[in-house]
PDB file of all heavy atoms in Angstrom:
ATOM      1  N   VAL A 130      -2.149  18.104  26.673  1.00  0.00           N
ATOM      2  CA  VAL A 130      -2.127  19.300  27.524  1.00  0.00           C
ATOM      3  C   VAL A 130      -1.493  18.850  28.845  1.00  0.00           C
ATOM      4  O   VAL A 130      -1.998  17.936  29.497  1.00  0.00           O
ATOM      5  CB  VAL A 130      -3.550  19.840  27.793  1.00  0.00           C
ATOM      6  CG1 VAL A 130      -3.521  21.000  28.774  1.00  0.00           C
ATOM      7  CG2 VAL A 130      -4.187  20.299  26.475  1.00  0.00           C
ATOM      8  N   ASP A 131      -0.377  19.454  29.156  1.00  0.00           N
ATOM      9  CA  ASP A 131       0.434  18.978  30.284  1.00  0.00           C
ATOM     10  C   ASP A 131       0.257  19.935  31.459  1.00  0.00           C
ATOM     11  O   ASP A 131       0.537  21.134  31.348  1.00  0.00           O
ATOM     12  CB  ASP A 131       1.907  18.966  29.841  1.00  0.00           C
ATOM     13  CG  ASP A 131       2.721  18.029  30.661  1.00  0.00           C
ATOM     14  OD1 ASP A 131       2.580  16.791  30.461  1.00  0.00           O
ATOM     15  OD2 ASP A 131       3.540  18.488  31.486  1.00  0.00           O
ATOM     16  N   ILE A 132      -0.244  19.422  32.551  1.00  0.00           N
ATOM     17  CA  ILE A 132      -0.585  20.280  33.710  1.00  0.00           C
ATOM     18  C   ILE A 132       0.187  19.826  34.954  1.00  0.00           C
ATOM     19  O   ILE A 132       0.293  18.628  35.222  1.00  0.00           O
ATOM     20  CB  ILE A 132      -2.106  20.207  33.988  1.00  0.00           C
ATOM     21  CG1 ILE A 132      -2.882  20.756  32.781  1.00  0.00           C
ATOM     22  CG2 ILE A 132      -2.475  20.973  35.255  1.00  0.00           C
ATOM     23  CD1 ILE A 132      -4.393  20.689  32.920  1.00  0.00           C
ATOM     24  N   SER A 133       0.719  20.810  35.661  1.00  0.00           N
ATOM     25  CA  SER A 133       1.469  20.490  36.879  1.00  0.00           C
ATOM     26  C   SER A 133       0.531  20.357  38.058  1.00  0.00           C
ATOM     27  O   SER A 133      -0.270  21.261  38.307  1.00  0.00           O
ATOM     28  CB  SER A 133       2.498  21.583  37.205  1.00  0.00           C
ATOM     29  OG  SER A 133       3.346  21.783  36.112  1.00  0.00           O
ATOM     30  N   ILE A 134       0.621  19.240  38.780  1.00  0.00           N
ATOM     31  CA  ILE A 134      -0.082  19.170  40.063  1.00  0.00           C
ATOM     32  C   ILE A 134       0.907  18.701  41.099  1.00  0.00           C
ATOM     33  O   ILE A 134       1.434  17.597  41.036  1.00  0.00           O
ATOM     34  CB  ILE A 134      -1.360  18.279  40.053  1.00  0.00           C
ATOM     35  CG1 ILE A 134      -1.123  16.908  39.395  1.00  0.00           C
ATOM     36  CG2 ILE A 134      -2.506  18.971  39.371  1.00  0.00           C
ATOM     37  CD1 ILE A 134      -2.308  15.953  39.675  1.00  0.00           C
ATOM     38  N   HIS A 135       1.161  19.549  42.050  1.00  0.00           N
ATOM     39  CA  HIS A 135       2.186  19.269  43.048  1.00  0.00           C
ATOM     40  C   HIS A 135       1.578  18.871  44.397  1.00  0.00           C
ATOM     41  O   HIS A 135       2.298  18.712  45.355  1.00  0.00           O
ATOM     42  CB  HIS A 135       3.101  20.462  43.224  1.00  0.00           C
ATOM     43  CG  HIS A 135       3.819  20.806  41.956  1.00  0.00           C
ATOM     44  ND1 HIS A 135       4.546  19.862  41.220  1.00  0.00           N
ATOM     45  CD2 HIS A 135       3.920  21.953  41.251  1.00  0.00           C
ATOM     46  CE1 HIS A 135       5.056  20.424  40.159  1.00  0.00           C
ATOM     47  NE2 HIS A 135       4.676  21.685  40.127  1.00  0.00           N
ATOM     48  N   GLY A 136       0.274  18.735  44.431  1.00  0.00           N
ATOM     49  CA  GLY A 136      -0.371  18.273  45.655  1.00  0.00           C
ATOM     50  C   GLY A 136      -1.791  17.844  45.373  1.00  0.00           C
ATOM     51  O   GLY A 136      -2.346  18.210  44.318  1.00  0.00           O
ATOM     52  N   LYS A 137      -2.326  17.036  46.234  1.00  0.00           N
ATOM     53  CA  LYS A 137      -3.711  16.599  46.051  1.00  0.00           C
ATOM     54  C   LYS A 137      -4.625  17.464  46.929  1.00  0.00           C
ATOM     55  O   LYS A 137      -5.730  17.811  46.551  1.00  0.00           O
ATOM     56  CB  LYS A 137      -3.850  15.118  46.450  1.00  0.00           C
ATOM     57  CG  LYS A 137      -5.194  14.473  46.112  1.00  0.00           C
ATOM     58  CD  LYS A 137      -5.366  14.257  44.640  1.00  0.00           C
ATOM     59  CE  LYS A 137      -6.571  13.433  44.239  1.00  0.00           C
ATOM     60  NZ  LYS A 137      -7.825  13.680  44.898  1.00  0.00           N
ATOM     61  N   SER A 138      -4.126  17.827  48.096  1.00  0.00           N
ATOM     62  CA  SER A 138      -4.916  18.678  48.984  1.00  0.00           C
ATOM     63  C   SER A 138      -4.638  20.152  48.649  1.00  0.00           C
ATOM     64  O   SER A 138      -3.564  20.486  48.140  1.00  0.00           O
ATOM     65  CB  SER A 138      -4.514  18.418  50.427  1.00  0.00           C
ATOM     66  OG  SER A 138      -3.206  18.901  50.683  1.00  0.00           O
ATOM     67  N   ALA A 139      -5.630  20.987  48.949  1.00  0.00           N
ATOM     68  CA  ALA A 139      -5.444  22.419  48.710  1.00  0.00           C
ATOM     69  C   ALA A 139      -4.277  22.969  49.517  1.00  0.00           C
ATOM     70  O   ALA A 139      -3.525  23.808  49.032  1.00  0.00           O
ATOM     71  CB  ALA A 139      -6.736  23.153  49.042  1.00  0.00           C
ATOM     72  N   GLN A 140      -4.124  22.466  50.737  1.00  0.00           N
ATOM     73  CA  GLN A 140      -3.092  22.983  51.613  1.00  0.00           C
ATOM     74  C   GLN A 140      -1.685  22.804  50.999  1.00  0.00           C
ATOM     75  O   GLN A 140      -0.902  23.749  50.919  1.00  0.00           O
ATOM     76  CB  GLN A 140      -3.176  22.232  52.939  1.00  0.00           C
ATOM     77  CG  GLN A 140      -2.360  22.877  54.047  1.00  0.00           C
ATOM     78  CD  GLN A 140      -2.295  21.957  55.277  1.00  0.00           C
ATOM     79  OE1 GLN A 140      -2.603  20.766  55.191  1.00  0.00           O
ATOM     80  NE2 GLN A 140      -1.881  22.521  56.386  1.00  0.00           N
ATOM     81  N   VAL A 141      -1.430  21.585  50.521  1.00  0.00           N
ATOM     82  CA  VAL A 141      -0.096  21.300  49.938  1.00  0.00           C
ATOM     83  C   VAL A 141       0.028  21.968  48.579  1.00  0.00           C
ATOM     84  O   VAL A 141       1.036  22.619  48.261  1.00  0.00           O
ATOM     85  CB  VAL A 141       0.112  19.772  49.842  1.00  0.00           C
ATOM     86  CG1 VAL A 141       1.334  19.444  49.002  1.00  0.00           C
ATOM     87  CG2 VAL A 141       0.259  19.178  51.231  1.00  0.00           C
ATOM     88  N   PHE A 142      -0.996  21.822  47.756  1.00  0.00           N
ATOM     89  CA  PHE A 142      -0.970  22.391  46.399  1.00  0.00           C
ATOM     90  C   PHE A 142      -0.688  23.877  46.435  1.00  0.00           C
ATOM     91  O   PHE A 142       0.191  24.389  45.723  1.00  0.00           O
ATOM     92  CB  PHE A 142      -2.335  22.119  45.745  1.00  0.00           C
ATOM     93  CG  PHE A 142      -2.398  22.396  44.258  1.00  0.00           C
ATOM     94  CD1 PHE A 142      -2.320  21.351  43.346  1.00  0.00           C
ATOM     95  CD2 PHE A 142      -2.551  23.689  43.773  1.00  0.00           C
ATOM     96  CE1 PHE A 142      -2.379  21.602  41.985  1.00  0.00           C
ATOM     97  CE2 PHE A 142      -2.625  23.942  42.417  1.00  0.00           C
ATOM     98  CZ  PHE A 142      -2.540  22.892  41.536  1.00  0.00           C
ATOM     99  N   GLU A 143      -1.399  24.553  47.284  1.00  0.00           N
ATOM    100  CA  GLU A 143      -1.307  26.035  47.305  1.00  0.00           C
ATOM    101  C   GLU A 143      -0.108  26.538  48.081  1.00  0.00           C
ATOM    102  O   GLU A 143       0.321  27.674  47.890  1.00  0.00           O
ATOM    103  CB  GLU A 143      -2.627  26.631  47.794  1.00  0.00           C
ATOM    104  CG  GLU A 143      -3.714  26.416  46.738  1.00  0.00           C
ATOM    105  CD  GLU A 143      -5.146  26.599  47.218  1.00  0.00           C
ATOM    106  OE1 GLU A 143      -5.336  27.247  48.268  1.00  0.00           O
ATOM    107  OE2 GLU A 143      -6.069  26.103  46.561  1.00  0.00           O
ATOM    108  N   ARG A 144       0.477  25.684  48.918  1.00  0.00           N
ATOM    109  CA  ARG A 144       1.723  26.064  49.564  1.00  0.00           C
ATOM    110  C   ARG A 144       2.837  26.142  48.502  1.00  0.00           C
ATOM    111  O   ARG A 144       3.751  26.927  48.574  1.00  0.00           O
ATOM    112  CB  ARG A 144       2.104  25.050  50.632  1.00  0.00           C
ATOM    113  CG  ARG A 144       3.108  25.598  51.628  1.00  0.00           C
ATOM    114  CD  ARG A 144       3.529  24.537  52.642  1.00  0.00           C
ATOM    115  NE  ARG A 144       2.425  24.030  53.416  1.00  0.00           N
ATOM    116  CZ  ARG A 144       2.322  22.779  53.866  1.00  0.00           C
ATOM    117  NH1 ARG A 144       3.277  21.903  53.616  1.00  0.00           N
ATOM    118  NH2 ARG A 144       1.287  22.382  54.580  1.00  0.00           N
ATOM    119  N   ILE A 145       2.690  25.323  47.474  1.00  0.00           N
ATOM    120  CA  ILE A 145       3.689  25.314  46.413  1.00  0.00           C
ATOM    121  C   ILE A 145       3.400  26.383  45.359  1.00  0.00           C
ATOM    122  O   ILE A 145       4.283  27.111  44.928  1.00  0.00           O
ATOM    123  CB  ILE A 145       3.794  23.888  45.789  1.00  0.00           C
ATOM    124  CG1 ILE A 145       4.369  22.930  46.834  1.00  0.00           C
ATOM    125  CG2 ILE A 145       4.668  23.896  44.538  1.00  0.00           C
ATOM    126  CD1 ILE A 145       4.290  21.478  46.486  1.00  0.00           C
ATOM    127  N   THR A 146       2.129  26.514  44.968  1.00  0.00           N
ATOM    128  CA  THR A 146       1.806  27.481  43.905  1.00  0.00           C
ATOM    129  C   THR A 146       1.699  28.909  44.444  1.00  0.00           C
ATOM    130  O   THR A 146       1.780  29.858  43.656  1.00  0.00           O
ATOM    131  CB  THR A 146       0.465  27.166  43.232  1.00  0.00           C
ATOM    132  OG1 THR A 146      -0.595  27.285  44.204  1.00  0.00           O
ATOM    133  CG2 THR A 146       0.440  25.779  42.640  1.00  0.00           C
ATOM    134  N   GLN A 147       1.509  29.027  45.741  1.00  0.00           N
ATOM    135  CA  GLN A 147       1.362  30.351  46.359  1.00  0.00           C
ATOM    136  C   GLN A 147       0.160  31.113  45.821  1.00  0.00           C
ATOM    137  O   GLN A 147       0.194  32.346  45.735  1.00  0.00           O
ATOM    138  CB  GLN A 147       2.647  31.195  46.161  1.00  0.00           C
ATOM    139  CG  GLN A 147       3.917  30.580  46.668  1.00  0.00           C
ATOM    140  CD  GLN A 147       4.088  30.747  48.154  1.00  0.00           C
ATOM    141  OE1 GLN A 147       4.241  31.854  48.637  1.00  0.00           O
ATOM    142  NE2 GLN A 147       3.981  29.640  48.877  1.00  0.00           N
ATOM    143  N   ARG A 148      -0.854  30.383  45.385  1.00  0.00           N
ATOM    144  CA  ARG A 148      -2.039  31.033  44.810  1.00  0.00           C
ATOM    145  C   ARG A 148      -3.281  30.435  45.481  1.00  0.00           C
ATOM    146  O   ARG A 148      -3.664  29.278  45.168  1.00  0.00           O
ATOM    147  CB  ARG A 148      -2.067  30.782  43.293  1.00  0.00           C
ATOM    148  CG  ARG A 148      -3.326  31.252  42.614  1.00  0.00           C
ATOM    149  CD  ARG A 148      -3.232  32.696  42.204  1.00  0.00           C
ATOM    150  NE  ARG A 148      -4.536  33.197  41.780  1.00  0.00           N
ATOM    151  CZ  ARG A 148      -4.702  34.206  40.946  1.00  0.00           C
ATOM    152  NH1 ARG A 148      -3.648  34.828  40.445  1.00  0.00           N
ATOM    153  NH2 ARG A 148      -5.887  34.624  40.608  1.00  0.00           N
ATOM    154  N   PRO A 149      -3.904  31.210  46.360  1.00  0.00           N
ATOM    155  CA  PRO A 149      -5.117  30.680  47.008  1.00  0.00           C
ATOM    156  C   PRO A 149      -6.197  30.332  45.977  1.00  0.00           C
ATOM    157  O   PRO A 149      -6.400  31.042  45.009  1.00  0.00           O
ATOM    158  CB  PRO A 149      -5.582  31.851  47.879  1.00  0.00           C
ATOM    159  CG  PRO A 149      -4.379  32.737  48.052  1.00  0.00           C
ATOM    160  CD  PRO A 149      -3.561  32.566  46.799  1.00  0.00           C
ATOM    161  N   GLY A 150      -6.841  29.225  46.216  1.00  0.00           N
ATOM    162  CA  GLY A 150      -7.928  28.798  45.310  1.00  0.00           C
ATOM    163  C   GLY A 150      -7.434  28.075  44.070  1.00  0.00           C
ATOM    164  O   GLY A 150      -8.248  27.615  43.261  1.00  0.00           O
ATOM    165  N   SER A 151      -6.137  27.951  43.924  1.00  0.00           N
ATOM    166  CA  SER A 151      -5.598  27.377  42.665  1.00  0.00           C
ATOM    167  C   SER A 151      -5.887  25.863  42.562  1.00  0.00           C
ATOM    168  O   SER A 151      -6.132  25.329  41.477  1.00  0.00           O
ATOM    169  CB  SER A 151      -4.108  27.636  42.539  1.00  0.00           C
ATOM    170  OG  SER A 151      -3.393  27.141  43.662  1.00  0.00           O
ATOM    171  N   ARG A 152      -5.884  25.167  43.694  1.00  0.00           N
ATOM    172  CA  ARG A 152      -6.050  23.714  43.650  1.00  0.00           C
ATOM    173  C   ARG A 152      -7.391  23.341  42.986  1.00  0.00           C
ATOM    174  O   ARG A 152      -7.432  22.543  42.043  1.00  0.00           O
ATOM    175  CB  ARG A 152      -5.972  23.146  45.070  1.00  0.00           C
ATOM    176  CG  ARG A 152      -5.972  21.636  45.134  1.00  0.00           C
ATOM    177  CD  ARG A 152      -7.349  21.096  45.407  1.00  0.00           C
ATOM    178  NE  ARG A 152      -7.389  19.642  45.439  1.00  0.00           N
ATOM    179  CZ  ARG A 152      -8.411  18.920  45.012  1.00  0.00           C
ATOM    180  NH1 ARG A 152      -9.490  19.489  44.519  1.00  0.00           N
ATOM    181  NH2 ARG A 152      -8.373  17.618  45.085  1.00  0.00           N
ATOM    182  N   ASP A 153      -8.466  23.936  43.462  1.00  0.00           N
ATOM    183  CA  ASP A 153      -9.783  23.566  42.927  1.00  0.00           C
ATOM    184  C   ASP A 153      -9.927  23.975  41.476  1.00  0.00           C
ATOM    185  O   ASP A 153     -10.544  23.243  40.677  1.00  0.00           O
ATOM    186  CB  ASP A 153     -10.912  24.193  43.783  1.00  0.00           C
ATOM    187  CG  ASP A 153     -11.021  23.492  45.134  1.00  0.00           C
ATOM    188  OD1 ASP A 153     -10.349  22.477  45.343  1.00  0.00           O
ATOM    189  OD2 ASP A 153     -11.761  24.014  46.010  1.00  0.00           O
ATOM    190  N   ARG A 154      -9.388  25.129  41.117  1.00  0.00           N
ATOM    191  CA  ARG A 154      -9.474  25.594  39.737  1.00  0.00           C
ATOM    192  C   ARG A 154      -8.742  24.615  38.792  1.00  0.00           C
ATOM    193  O   ARG A 154      -9.247  24.262  37.724  1.00  0.00           O
ATOM    194  CB  ARG A 154      -8.822  26.967  39.587  1.00  0.00           C
ATOM    195  CG  ARG A 154      -9.635  28.110  40.163  1.00  0.00           C
ATOM    196  CD  ARG A 154     -10.713  28.598  39.176  1.00  0.00           C
ATOM    197  NE  ARG A 154     -10.172  29.210  37.988  1.00  0.00           N
ATOM    198  CZ  ARG A 154     -10.248  30.496  37.694  1.00  0.00           C
ATOM    199  NH1 ARG A 154     -10.807  31.330  38.564  1.00  0.00           N
ATOM    200  NH2 ARG A 154      -9.766  30.993  36.560  1.00  0.00           N
ATOM    201  N   VAL A 155      -7.574  24.148  39.218  1.00  0.00           N
ATOM    202  CA  VAL A 155      -6.780  23.277  38.348  1.00  0.00           C
ATOM    203  C   VAL A 155      -7.414  21.904  38.230  1.00  0.00           C
ATOM    204  O   VAL A 155      -7.500  21.338  37.136  1.00  0.00           O
ATOM    205  CB  VAL A 155      -5.308  23.189  38.898  1.00  0.00           C
ATOM    206  CG1 VAL A 155      -4.541  22.140  38.135  1.00  0.00           C
ATOM    207  CG2 VAL A 155      -4.619  24.548  38.804  1.00  0.00           C
ATOM    208  N   PHE A 156      -7.884  21.377  39.352  1.00  0.00           N
ATOM    209  CA  PHE A 156      -8.520  20.058  39.271  1.00  0.00           C
ATOM    210  C   PHE A 156      -9.810  20.118  38.443  1.00  0.00           C
ATOM    211  O   PHE A 156     -10.162  19.177  37.744  1.00  0.00           O
ATOM    212  CB  PHE A 156      -8.761  19.476  40.684  1.00  0.00           C
ATOM    213  CG  PHE A 156      -7.552  18.777  41.224  1.00  0.00           C
ATOM    214  CD1 PHE A 156      -6.491  19.476  41.761  1.00  0.00           C
ATOM    215  CD2 PHE A 156      -7.429  17.392  41.140  1.00  0.00           C
ATOM    216  CE1 PHE A 156      -5.343  18.842  42.235  1.00  0.00           C
ATOM    217  CE2 PHE A 156      -6.304  16.741  41.617  1.00  0.00           C
ATOM    218  CZ  PHE A 156      -5.248  17.459  42.155  1.00  0.00           C
ATOM    219  N   ARG A 157     -10.512  21.229  38.503  1.00  0.00           N
ATOM    220  CA  ARG A 157     -11.716  21.404  37.699  1.00  0.00           C
ATOM    221  C   ARG A 157     -11.336  21.458  36.221  1.00  0.00           C
ATOM    222  O   ARG A 157     -11.993  20.867  35.372  1.00  0.00           O
ATOM    223  CB  ARG A 157     -12.439  22.697  38.118  1.00  0.00           C
ATOM    224  CG  ARG A 157     -13.620  23.078  37.259  1.00  0.00           C
ATOM    225  CD  ARG A 157     -14.774  22.097  37.402  1.00  0.00           C
ATOM    226  NE  ARG A 157     -15.890  22.437  36.548  1.00  0.00           N
ATOM    227  CZ  ARG A 157     -16.646  21.547  35.902  1.00  0.00           C
ATOM    228  NH1 ARG A 157     -16.406  20.266  36.042  1.00  0.00           N
ATOM    229  NH2 ARG A 157     -17.656  21.929  35.141  1.00  0.00           N
ATOM    230  N   ALA A 158     -10.230  22.142  35.943  1.00  0.00           N
ATOM    231  CA  ALA A 158      -9.758  22.239  34.551  1.00  0.00           C
ATOM    232  C   ALA A 158      -9.442  20.847  34.006  1.00  0.00           C
ATOM    233  O   ALA A 158      -9.797  20.501  32.873  1.00  0.00           O
ATOM    234  CB  ALA A 158      -8.515  23.113  34.474  1.00  0.00           C
ATOM    235  N   ILE A 159      -8.792  20.034  34.822  1.00  0.00           N
ATOM    236  CA  ILE A 159      -8.443  18.673  34.400  1.00  0.00           C
ATOM    237  C   ILE A 159      -9.725  17.898  34.078  1.00  0.00           C
ATOM    238  O   ILE A 159      -9.834  17.219  33.066  1.00  0.00           O
ATOM    239  CB  ILE A 159      -7.604  17.968  35.488  1.00  0.00           C
ATOM    240  CG1 ILE A 159      -6.236  18.664  35.639  1.00  0.00           C
ATOM    241  CG2 ILE A 159      -7.423  16.498  35.163  1.00  0.00           C
ATOM    242  CD1 ILE A 159      -5.469  18.264  36.894  1.00  0.00           C
TER     243      ILE A 159
END
Side-chain angles (χ1 to χ4, degrees):
Chain A
V130 175
D131 204 73
I132 297 177
S133 303
I134 48 168
H135 298 308
K137 189 72 171 44
S138 69
Q140 193 190 14
V141 169
F142 191 100
E143 290 164 20
R144 198 183 300 147
I145 293 169
T146 64
Q147 303 280 293
R148 173 87 190 206
S151 56
R152 187 264 178 213
D153 288 351
R154 286 277 294 250
V155 172
F156 275 79
R157 174 68 182 142
I159 294 166

